[in-house]
Amino acid sequence: MAQKVAITGNEAVALAMKQINPDVVAAYPITPQTEIVQIFSTYVNNGLIDTEFVTVESEHSAMSATVGAASAGARAMTATSANGLALMWEIVYIAASNRLPIVMPVVNRALSGPINIHCDHSDAMGARDSGWIQLWSENTQEAYDNMIQAVRLAENPNVQLPVMVCMDGFIISHAMENAEVLPDEVVREFIGDYTPQKTLLDKENPVTAGPLAFTDSYFEFKRAQAEAMIQAKPYVLEVAREYAKVSGREYGLFETYKLEDAEVGIVVLGSTAGTAKNVVDKLRGQGFKAGLLKPRVFRPFPAEELATALGHLKALAVMDRADSFNAFSGPLFAEITAAMYDSGAQTKIVNYIYGLGGRDVGLGDIEKVYGHLARIAESGKVDQRLNYLGVRE
Amino acid sequence: MTAKGWRDTVPGGWIKEAGNALEYKTGSWRSIGPVFIPENCINCLFCWAFCPDDAIMVKDGKMVGVNYDYCKGCGICARECPAKNKALVMGEEG
Ligand code: SF4
Ligand code: SF4
């Protein structure tokens, strides 16, 4: 039977990894992800699981060893944060282009510089074009649930793509919350035995992984990789439906909160969505039609579904916990706006960059954003597209 | 090798047939190549030993010519050929 526990995000992810019992985990500690591999390594050390735990000398090596293990046909995982993900970069792309079903929690943290260890989304947003599926979590419960679903999703023969499970550093990773965890045997049965689609270790059928492809074939391989991501969306939903049967918790491409009859709305990823829901409740109490949408699946990007869910709004704020430094907007804004333009929606849209380097985002900050949206809805005009929330002027 | 459309590629670019590098005709990289002059050849097979590819064709222990499908035109064979009158000379081969 499922069990309610008080647990931090890192503990929940380490527990999920223990229940998954991967063949190989190669990892290197980095704050705020350190506890995941630390706790996981004690499970291995105490003989509770039989994972081959590889202590590597850097994140570049962590991802390289994980790619090697996955290529050999192992169920392989690692975990990282921020600069660690940046150091993996070269191999992160190779994991996706070689179509290896690796699962990796990314405990979101700001990239240097200045040096900072606190939460923002610049790490995973930087990897948005690496070809990995990205599942985002609002809290410990979602981080745990996403981890278990990620294994099924990555390993689906029709998907065969690596998955990042994103969760906010410290806010989720280190805060203790109530969460419901599944019994080991339910998780094991849900993920099933791993049957690799390809392996380097079958001497009857020798293969080559990661070969050269020049001008005459590289483009065809990339087109095929793009198609894998295009086709992945229904499998995200299929795995979510299956997971609902064992957990009772429903997941989709995104979650909407009081959005259907809303006049203004906010799109926000991760833990800030929880804060924003409180603000929505308060504003609704005052008769103000506020709503919210929290993306769960950023890759594949559910453009049509997002535009359909948001198109009726008079005014929308897309909140980015990362800046693109492109003199235009943050990454989430650019893609949501493109999706809305394609759909012909008339919604006025503004961008808020917020919470960089762990800058706290309170109820009052979110209320200010809704206040801005109310003014835009009334005037029908966007006064300022790019806004920075909570920065000292 | 017939050029495949993207739908026919193996996911992730894995190569599933062993030894299919043979199908990759790297000789197209060559600008000039070795021309074989059989009457000068003393069959020492230095060219075969030195060729960094597998482009010197040998039959029954005898040098019989250059396989231009794989010859890169590096010129090592022509340089190493010890025959008094060189049996391999770099030039515009056929
Ligand atoms: S030119 Fe170079 S590659 Fe060509 S046959 Fe001679 S040694 Fe081999
Ligand atoms: S090196 Fe010259 S002489 Fe010797 S086998 Fe080759 S072509 Fe003939």
Side-chain angles (χ1 to χ4, degrees):
Chain A
M1 224 186 76
Q3 206 189 343
K4 278 246 184 222
V5 289
I7 195 166
T8 70
N10 278 344
E11 288 166 354
V13 167
L15 174 66
M17 286 171 69
K18 173 184 160 218
Q19 295 179 317
I20 293 161
N21 190 11
D23 299 314
V24 175
V25 168
Y28 191 81
I30 180 167
T31 303
Q33 166 271 129
T34 303
E35 278 181 343
I36 294 177
V37 292
Q38 183 197 324
I39 297 165
F40 184 78
S41 69
T42 62
Y43 292 142
V44 177
N45 189 47
N46 294 343
L48 298 175
I49 44 176
D50 55 10
T51 301
E52 183 71 35
F53 187 76
V54 189
T55 51
V56 284
E57 71 280 18
S58 77
E59 282 90 351
H60 190 278
S61 306
M63 184 47 72
S64 298
T66 308
V67 162
S71 304
R75 184 177 261 162
M77 297 174 77
T78 181
T80 197
S81 285
N83 293 34
L85 178 57
L87 184 52
M88 288 179 174
W89 211 253
E90 178 190 11
I91 317 299
V92 166
Y93 276 68
I94 291 171
S97 54
N98 286 12
R99 305 286 301 277
L100 299 171
I102 293 166
V103 171
M104 173 169 71
V106 175
V107 184
N108 299 116
R109 159 188 147 178
L111 286 168
S112 305
I115 299 167
N116 178 297
I117 56 162
H118 293 283
C119 174
D120 75 29
H121 298 160
S122 52
D123 50 5
M125 279 296 155
R128 69 188 182 276
D129 296 343
S130 62
W132 285 57
I133 290 174
Q134 285 191 353
L135 304 178
W136 290 75
S137 323
E138 179 186 325
N139 49 38
T140 295
Q141 183 73 66
E142 292 190 7
Y144 173 84
D145 291 339
N146 280 337
M147 281 295 295
I148 293 161
Q149 291 178 69
V151 176
R152 272 278 288 268
L153 179 59
E155 291 172 3
N156 185 305
N158 297 309
V159 178
Q160 295 288 298
L161 286 171
V163 181
M164 283 181 200
V165 174
C166 302
M167 56 189 256
D168 287 351
F170 294 106
I171 302 165
I172 299 177
S173 67
H174 284 63
M176 190 163 286
E177 294 187 320
N178 276 325
E180 201 173 284
V181 297
L182 298 169
D184 292 357
E185 59 280 10
V186 172
V187 174
R188 288 204 180 137
E189 201 180 314
F190 180 77
I191 61 170
D193 287 334
Y194 178 42
T195 315
Q197 299 293 298
K198 40 200 179 281
T199 168
L200 290 170
L201 300 183
D202 177 2
K203 68 181 188 334
E204 303 305 320
N205 298 292
V207 291
T208 301
L212 194 71
F214 274 157
T215 48
D216 59 351
S217 55
Y218 178 89
F219 202 175
E220 280 68 30
F221 286 116
K222 296 319 273 186
R223 176 65 187 88
Q225 188 188 334
E227 190 66 15
M229 187 62 86
I230 293 168
Q231 298 301 334
K233 207 160 56 180
Y235 298 104
V236 176
L237 295 172
E238 182 186 291
V239 171
R241 278 194 298 275
E242 294 290 316
Y243 190 71
K245 284 185 205 157
V246 298
S247 69
R249 290 182 292 278
E250 313 234 346
Y251 287 91
L253 300 167
F254 47 77
E255 181 197 335
T256 59
Y257 189 72
K258 304 192 178 173
L259 187 68
E260 288 68 26
D261 67 336
E263 289 178 359
V264 302
I266 280 180
V267 172
V268 66
L269 280 166
S271 63
T272 309
T275 313
K277 284 174 187 170
N278 278 307
V279 177
V280 169
D281 288 344
K282 182 178 166 197
L283 295 173
R284 285 274 172 172
Q286 297 165 3
F288 182 71
K289 289 196 168 167
L292 175 137
L293 186 147
K294 177 191 74 184
R296 170 176 178 248
V297 185
F298 182 57
R299 291 286 180 268
F301 186 68
E304 296 83 17
E305 293 85 348
L306 283 166
T308 305
L310 297 165
H312 66 285
L313 295 173
K314 288 184 185 158
L316 169 68
V318 180
M319 300 192 47
D320 271 295
R321 202 163 194 158
D323 201 343
S324 284
F325 304 105
N326 56 7
F328 175 65
S329 78
L332 192 55
F333 175 86
E335 298 199 12
I336 299 245
T337 311
M340 297 286 275
Y341 181 84
D342 265 2
S343 76
Q346 298 300 307
T347 310
K348 302 290 175 207
I349 316 176
V350 291
N351 189 201
Y352 271 90
I353 311 281
Y354 75 101
L356 300 191
R359 178 62 52 88
D360 198 21
V361 198
L363 300 168
D365 297 308
I366 307 284
E367 262 185 78
K368 270 186 216 152
V369 176
Y370 279 112
H372 187 192
L373 292 176
R375 291 196 300 282
I376 294 169
E378 203 177 296
S379 67
K381 286 195 179 63
V382 171
D383 50 353
Q384 184 162 313
R385 186 190 65 248
L386 177 59
N387 303 272
Y388 288 84
L389 184 66
V391 75
R392 282 190 303 278
E393 295 296 340
Chain B
M1 190 168 25
T2 46
K4 286 179 181 167
W6 67 266
R7 285 183 185 80
D8 299 320
T9 57
V10 178
W14 286 63
I15 295 174
K16 293 193 167 171
E17 309 107 56
N20 76 350
L22 270 180
E23 290 173 40
Y24 192 19
K25 306 270 166 76
T26 48
S28 63
W29 302 355
R30 186 180 61 244
S31 57
I32 55 168
V35 179
F36 183 45
I37 308 158
E39 53 273 29
N40 295 348
C41 177
I42 56 169
N43 268 313
C44 64
L45 299 189
F46 273 29
C47 51
W48 173 83
F50 276 100
C51 175
D53 206 300
D54 196 11
I56 299 292
M57 298 188 289
V58 174
K59 205 174 166 206
D60 301 329
K62 291 204 162 85
M63 157 64 172
V64 292
V66 177
N67 184 340
Y68 294 111
D69 280 349
Y70 306 107
C71 167
K72 313 286 188 300
C74 67
I76 293 173
C77 55
R79 188 191 155 115
E80 297 296 335
C81 175
K84 198 155 65 163
N85 294 313
K86 291 252 180 198
L88 284 165
V89 223
M90 295 307 283
E92 300 280 336
E93 88 296 336

